Amino acid sequence: MVGVLACGSVSSIKALWETRIRRIQDEEEEQRRRTARGGATGRLSLGVWEDRAVLARLKQKLQTEDGRLVLRIEQEDWKSLPDCLVQLGQVQEWQIHRTGLQKIPHFISSFQNLLVLDLSRNSVSEIPQQIGKLTRLRELLLSYNRVQFVPEELSGCESLERLELAMNRDLNELPDQLRNLKKLQHLDLSMNDFTCVPDCVVGLPALEWLDMGGNQLQHLPEDIHRMEKLHTLWLQRNQLERLPDNISRMAILDTLVLSSNRLRDIPPLMEDMSNLRFVNFRDNPLTLDVTLPCRKTKTEDDEDEDDREMFGREFMQLYIREARKRAYAVLNMHCVNR
């Protein structure tokens, strides 16, 4: 009997302790759940207050200029833009410069009223595909960034009139779909790594101003005259060795800058480009050494000698005449020798 009672007492004590252990474990689990709920609520509340604080800070950056609501941030640390920015969807223009911004947020497509997106002088490396949904966008300025690739979706910005991608260094091609930007008038691709003028650029029907200076251009397209509305063409600091004859068919072209290339000659047909007012052939290894004659008299209305060479129209015509004269002389000598 004693053994039986001892055994029964042990069993009862074991059951009691197991019950207590389960109760303690249940209480600890419940406490953990409460703590988790409380922590999540705390974090959520903290996140909401942070968003409100950031949004309030952004609202301080809003200005009204020329009837537009402009978001202007300059020389502050904004490597990324917060999601709460979508609450300012009425903004029509972004001016965000020197902030270290690294990417254009994907929620950019929410800004359907956006007319100007100016993110020059940042660290943007990618243009998101969502940008193609901004059908009212007129200006996209991304000069002095790190863009290496332009998505074909950019062609969806059907109202785009101005596109600046200067000084992105490694940029060397554009998608062919960009020829669908029917309203694009101003294109800056200077100081990049292009070796030729993209065919989509030649096919832009409304293009009036093109800067491809400071690239690695080795030749110009033979059908360059397809850019019928182009009046300004900057091609300085490239590797051009010749100009196509069809450049003479660019009837509207009035500014042509070709300094610091490898040109050996000037096409004779360019003599008939009556609309060409400013042309610069400085720092090219031209075959003929031609010097403009000094003017006998000068008036206040006369440009000085530097201007005559800088603008170069007079120099160009003199060079072509001298080249023609020497060609005739060589031909006559050949005929006499025969």
Side-chain angles (χ1 to χ4, degrees), residues 47 179 242:
R179 68 175 64 245
R242 58 173 293 272

Side-chain angles (χ1 to χ4, degrees), residues 137-177:
L137 189 67
R138 296 178 188 171
E139 298 184 17
L140 176 60
L141 313 179
L142 284 167
S143 294
Y144 292 87
N145 276 279
R146 300 175 181 175
V147 176
Q148 299 182 20
F149 174 76
V150 176
E152 63 184 54
E153 285 78 7
L154 183 60
S155 62
C157 298
E158 56 190 32
S159 300
L160 202 63
E161 299 175 1
R162 187 184 188 98
L163 176 60
E164 295 189 357
L165 294 167
M167 196 61 177
N168 279 279
R169 295 183 182 276
D170 295 328
L171 187 63
N172 57 22
E173 62 180 355
L174 297 177
D176 194 59
Q177 289 83 352

Side-chain angles (χ1 to χ4, degrees), residues 54 64 93 174 209 259:
V54 172
T64 301
E93 184 170 337
L174 297 177
W209 192 100
S259 56

Side-chain angles (χ1 to χ4, degrees), residues 267-281:
L269 292 175
M270 290 184 67
E271 187 178 26
D272 298 327
M273 298 178 70
S274 58
N275 203 56
L276 193 61
R277 297 176 58 233
F278 307 116
V279 57
N280 190 336
F281 288 99

